[in-house]
Amino acid sequence: MEMGAIASEKQMKQILNYIKIGQEEGAILKTGGNRIMDRGLDKGFFIEPTVFTDVNQEMQIVQEEIFGPVVTIQKFKDEKEAVELANDVDFGLAGGIFTNDGARALRVIKKLRAGITWINTYHPAFVEAPWGGYKQSGIGRSLGTYGLEDFQEIKQINSNMNVGLTGWFKN
């Protein structure tokens, strides 16, 4: 696994606070959850990859975007419930499906309310394709031709090349 530093001390503290909240809400911390201070990493903002189990849909660590090395593992009884749980949040930046069943993967991924999705991989992106979320995740799209629109001002130009009365105003 490759993992980099957290972008800022403020973000690192926010992630560590989410980890604390997860424990207070009753989620089971299976691994990680701490700032890495050894191996010379004390000069940066590093957090151990963190895994929570025994979570439920109402927990803050399930409902919100943490933007850190934290994953929640949630059980579901069937495909329908998995999609319902995944979509029952206010955010929808990204999602992934891991399965050997290609038809199921396409069926489920089409139902996810997320702006960027993956099947049997996670996180590669292409600059030619739009990047952005659904619901309360992000504003607009970046990358691809969609991303160029943020840097353009669109203008409508109407022209009458037959100079004279247009009939719009009374004489």
Side-chain angles (χ1 to χ4, degrees):
M1 175 198 310
E2 293 181 20
M3 190 182 82
I6 308 302
S8 68
E9 184 174 17
K10 178 182 176 187
Q11 180 64 19
M12 179 188 66
K13 287 179 179 178
Q14 187 170 345
I15 295 164
L16 291 170
N17 189 52
Y18 271 112
I19 293 167
K20 179 181 171 196
I21 289 168
Q23 292 173 301
E24 290 170 352
E25 289 181 324
I28 303 300
L29 179 63
K30 285 296 195 180
T31 189
N34 300 299
R35 180 177 182 186
I36 301 173
M37 296 295 292
D38 59 352
R39 298 182 301 257
L41 298 178
D42 57 319
K43 293 184 172 94
F45 307 123
F46 295 88
I47 297 175
E48 297 169 330
T50 302
V51 177
F52 279 106
T53 61
D54 297 341
V55 301
N56 64 57
Q57 198 65 15
E58 291 75 37
M59 291 181 173
Q60 195 171 345
I61 59 172
V62 172
Q63 285 293 316
E64 297 182 13
E65 296 175 322
I66 297 175
F67 294 111
V70 179
V71 66
T72 59
I73 299 176
Q74 192 170 7
K75 294 180 180 179
F76 54 90
K77 66 178 182 273
D78 57 24
E79 181 179 303
K80 182 178 185 283
E81 184 183 21
V83 171
E84 287 171 359
L85 291 170
N87 289 336
D88 185 28
V89 295
D90 291 333
F91 302 94
L93 182 57
I97 302 292
F98 288 82
T99 179
N100 290 326
D101 185 336
R104 172 177 273 180
L106 286 173
R107 185 174 58 246
V108 171
I109 210 88
K110 288 178 182 180
K111 294 175 184 175
L112 287 186
R113 297 283 301 139
I116 184 165
T117 57
W118 297 274
I119 297 173
N120 294 331
T121 187
Y122 203 82
H123 215 266
F126 303 92
V127 296
E128 303 87 0
W131 174 281
Y134 284 13
K135 302 182 260 184
Q136 292 184 35
S137 291
I139 299 170
R141 293 291 180 264
S142 58
L143 303 182
T145 55
Y146 295 93
L148 291 175
E149 291 176 5
D150 287 339
F151 300 97
Q152 298 174 346
E153 289 186 312
I154 311 258
K155 178 187 292 190
Q156 183 183 120
I157 299 174
N158 298 288
S159 178
N160 176 4
M161 302 309 278
N162 187 10
V163 179
L165 297 175
T166 62
W168 183 260
F169 300 100
K170 292 183 179 180
N171 296 359

